[in-house]
Amino acid sequence: GCPWNYINDKTDSGRRRIKGHRVEMLLLLKSFVVLAKIVIRHGGIVCFEWPAHNTYWNLPDVQDMINSLQLTDVRFDGCFFNLKSVRSDRSHMYIKKPWRIYTNCDGIIRALENCVCPGVDANHIHESCRGDNAKNSERYTVEFAKHIHRTIMTVMDRGWVLGGETA
């Protein structure tokens, strides 16, 4: 679903690889939906994440999943969570990397909805998200993981359920 696939689509091997990725994604999506329905039925939290500009978001099967699970989206930027360049000469530079999560948890939406790039200035300069930086951006930063875990713990401690109601 990478927007760069328009380049990979220009060769036979690229087209085969893209097709294989899509087939695998659709199989994983079907399994996710089965499990997500069980989790939701038992009052649990469901999250589904990809980069914000992933072309898979527009696929009918993905839209059906979002609608059938009644998920809401939230977008945020990797640079907010200290996503930085892996290049040694640019390790001070941030990678903006827009992310998107669909979830059934209002607490997660509230915790992420304002986590966007604070703006470029002398202390916050962006590096391109390509090559090694793109590969590294597939991993969550420690800051992001801690933020999500704190949020889930808060949601659980307060007894929140779907729709922001309290138990």
Side-chain angles (χ1 to χ4, degrees), residues 30-72:
K30 287 178 185 178
S31 295
F32 173 81
V33 170
V34 169
L35 294 172
K37 286 180 179 180
I38 294 168
V39 169
I40 291 170
R41 187 169 51 244
H42 292 281
I45 296 170
V46 171
C47 296
F48 193 93
E49 176 272 328
W50 274 327
H53 303 295
N54 189 310
T55 59
Y56 288 169
W57 287 121
N58 299 318
L59 293 177
D61 289 344
V62 175
Q63 288 296 306
D64 289 346
M65 177 267 302
I66 292 165
N67 293 327
S68 72
L69 299 176
Q70 298 179 333
L71 304 178
T72 303

Side-chain angles (χ1 to χ4, degrees), residues 77 79-80 94 96 115-126:
D77 295 326
C79 63
F80 186 91
Y94 292 88
K96 185 172 181 183
C115 297
V116 295
C117 178
V120 176
D121 61 26
N123 296 314
H124 189 97
I125 303 167
H126 289 152

Side-chain angles (χ1 to χ4, degrees), residues 66-112:
I66 292 165
N67 293 327
S68 72
L69 299 176
Q70 298 179 333
L71 304 178
T72 303
D73 78 320
V74 61
R75 297 175 190 223
F76 55 98
D77 295 326
C79 63
F80 186 91
F81 292 106
N82 205 34
L83 181 60
K84 289 191 172 181
S85 177
V86 296
R87 293 179 54 188
S88 60
D89 62 328
R90 295 175 179 250
S91 61
H92 64 286
M93 297 175 77
Y94 292 88
I95 308 294
K96 185 172 181 183
K97 182 72 180 249
W99 275 315
R100 184 178 197 181
I101 288 180
Y102 271 88
T103 184
N104 67 333
C105 179
D106 289 340
I108 289 175
I109 292 168
R110 285 193 302 270
L112 293 173

Side-chain angles (χ1 to χ4, degrees), residues 3-32:
W4 284 91
N5 276 342
Y6 73 91
I7 292 172
N8 297 329
D9 194 42
K10 295 183 186 296
T11 66
D12 289 338
S13 64
R15 281 189 292 278
R16 282 192 302 276
R17 193 169 71 236
I18 292 167
K19 183 179 180 181
H21 288 169
R22 184 174 286 191
V23 167
E24 183 178 15
M25 181 278 298
L26 290 172
L27 289 171
L28 290 169
L29 184 69
K30 287 178 185 178
S31 295
F32 173 81

